[in-house]
Amino acid sequence: MFPESSKLENQTVITMFILLGLSNNPYIQDFFLFLFMIIFLVTIMGNILIILVIKSELHLQTPMFFFLSHLAFVDICYSSVTVPKMLANFLTKQKTISWEGCIVQIYFTFQTACTEIFILSAMGYDRYMAICDPLHYSRYLTREICNKMVVGAWSLGFFHSMVNALPLLNLRFCSNNIIRHYACELPSLLPLSCTDTLSNYIILLISLSAISLSSFLITLVSYIYIISAVLKINSAEGRQKAFSTCSSHLIVVGLYYFTGGFCYMKPRSESFMDLDKVISIQYSILTPMLNPIIYSLKNKEIISAVEKLFRKVRPILYPRNNILRF
């Protein structure tokens, strides 16, 4: 009477998955271990440095740097979701992850990614207010409003991740437990299920479309007004200065949207599996590392604040040199 359910009951339910990773060659794996360990350390140290510099300097207590410090914190969390497990798998023969661990990884990937998208949108709005309406900048971007925007970003990330992670508890995996990826990502996991996943794909498509379009429209509208205002500036030096304050943000947004959107919004295909892994490295591993570098190189205030911080801690790090100087 119930042939499909009886068939599922007779099959072994999988509770452990194998992550194929980036390569099976042990020499290449050793190289990747070293490479991604360096990237992870640079990511953590670079973003912590950004947070410390912004917190330590009074002249950096502005909405722009407030959002930048929160972006740095989200990047630390985002990178920590997948990289430590990937590094651990490079050291072991059995590159496995439990079903529970897979759900947790998917949940926090959605949480941090969505939060980062809306913090970037908040930074775009901040640039709009600074350039297009500077007289009301401090009125409309108070610390209370900025805090609410950050809380809103985290809340939307929580909702987005719960909507996509909770339905996974109803899925069953009976035969194929090999994930052709270095991490548990929803588009790579769903094809392995022996139960119907149509509703999961619909939820993923709707939630991603809503999150991506809303955040993208905020950023797009902000920059339409910014470009219009900058083009009205008479001096070339003034235009260049205005564009330079936005270029870092535009680079980060471009890297994030195009790579993430390509992996999640394109049709699934076996021929794109390897390309998906390469592109996902960009938005989930390289982008959190590049963000502090991009903002530091393009922002003179950050550079001077970092130099000032190093001058403060240098006597602590090199006490002998300090003694010899006297």
Side-chain angles (χ1 to χ4, degrees), residues 59-71:
H59 72 280
L60 297 182
Q61 306 304 309
T62 63
M64 179 178 73
F65 293 108
F66 172 81
F67 291 128
L68 180 56
S69 65
H70 280 276
L71 179 68

Side-chain angles (χ1 to χ4, degrees), residues 54-203:
I54 292 172
K55 294 294 182 184
S56 64
E57 295 295 325
L58 289 176
H59 72 280
L60 297 182
Q61 306 304 309
T62 63
M64 179 178 73
F65 293 108
F66 172 81
F67 291 128
L68 180 56
S69 65
H70 280 276
L71 179 68
F73 175 72
V74 174
D75 280 332
I76 292 171
C77 298
Y78 192 18
S79 183
S80 300
V81 173
T82 56
V83 179
K85 180 62 179 176
M86 183 175 68
L87 294 176
N89 283 342
F90 283 136
L91 297 170
T92 59
K93 291 184 178 179
Q94 286 285 13
K95 308 178 190 307
T96 59
I97 186 170
S98 66
W99 168 227
E100 295 80 10
C102 201
I103 292 181
V104 169
Q105 200 172 74
I106 289 171
Y107 171 86
F108 282 108
T109 298
F110 279 122
Q111 170 74 72
T112 51
C114 181
T115 303
E116 177 149 340
I117 285 174
F118 280 103
I119 287 180
L120 288 171
S121 298
M123 294 174 77
Y125 177 72
D126 167 80
R127 292 299 82 206
Y128 157 73
M129 289 298 300
I131 294 173
C132 299
D133 198 5
L135 297 177
H136 296 96
Y137 181 75
S138 58
R139 178 184 174 186
Y140 290 113
L141 278 173
T142 62
R143 178 53 66 96
E144 182 182 358
I145 291 173
C146 291
N147 282 329
K148 288 180 179 179
M149 292 171 76
V150 170
V151 170
W154 280 100
S155 300
L156 287 168
F158 173 78
F159 175 76
H160 179 53
S161 55
M162 290 295 288
V163 162
N164 283 280
L166 284 179
L168 297 178
L169 299 174
N170 297 322
L171 298 183
R172 295 293 180 271
F173 298 85
C174 310
S175 55
N176 189 359
N177 69 332
I178 298 175
I179 299 176
R180 295 181 58 183
H181 211 283
Y182 59 84
C184 271
E185 288 202 349
L186 200 53
S188 301
L189 180 69
L190 291 179
L192 306 182
S193 177
C194 54
T195 49
D196 183 40
T197 58
L198 179 61
S199 60
N200 299 85
Y201 278 113
I202 292 173
I203 292 170

Side-chain angles (χ1 to χ4, degrees), residues 219-287:
T219 305
L220 179 64
V221 172
S222 297
Y223 273 99
I224 288 174
Y225 280 103
I226 288 170
I227 293 170
S228 176
V230 170
L231 292 177
K232 292 177 183 178
I233 298 175
N234 294 325
S235 66
E237 185 181 350
R239 287 196 298 270
Q240 185 179 0
K241 185 178 179 181
F243 275 126
S244 67
T245 63
C246 304
S247 58
S248 301
H249 182 255
L250 281 173
I251 292 169
V252 171
V253 168
L255 286 172
Y256 196 78
Y257 272 97
F258 287 118
T259 54
F262 177 82
C263 279
Y264 275 87
M265 302 301 285
K266 71 173 181 58
R268 306 310 302 168
S269 173
E270 290 290 326
S271 59
F272 284 110
M273 286 295 183
D274 291 332
L275 182 60
D276 284 350
K277 287 189 285 187
V278 173
I279 293 177
S280 69
I281 289 172
Q282 170 60 52
Y283 67 78
S284 64
I285 298 176
L286 293 181
T287 296

Side-chain angles (χ1 to χ4, degrees), residues 292-311:
I293 297 173
I294 291 169
Y295 278 104
S296 298
L297 292 175
K298 299 290 290 184
N299 195 299
K300 293 180 180 179
E301 291 177 282
I302 290 288
I303 293 173
S304 61
V306 169
E307 291 174 350
K308 185 178 177 181
L309 180 64
F310 275 121
R311 284 196 297 269

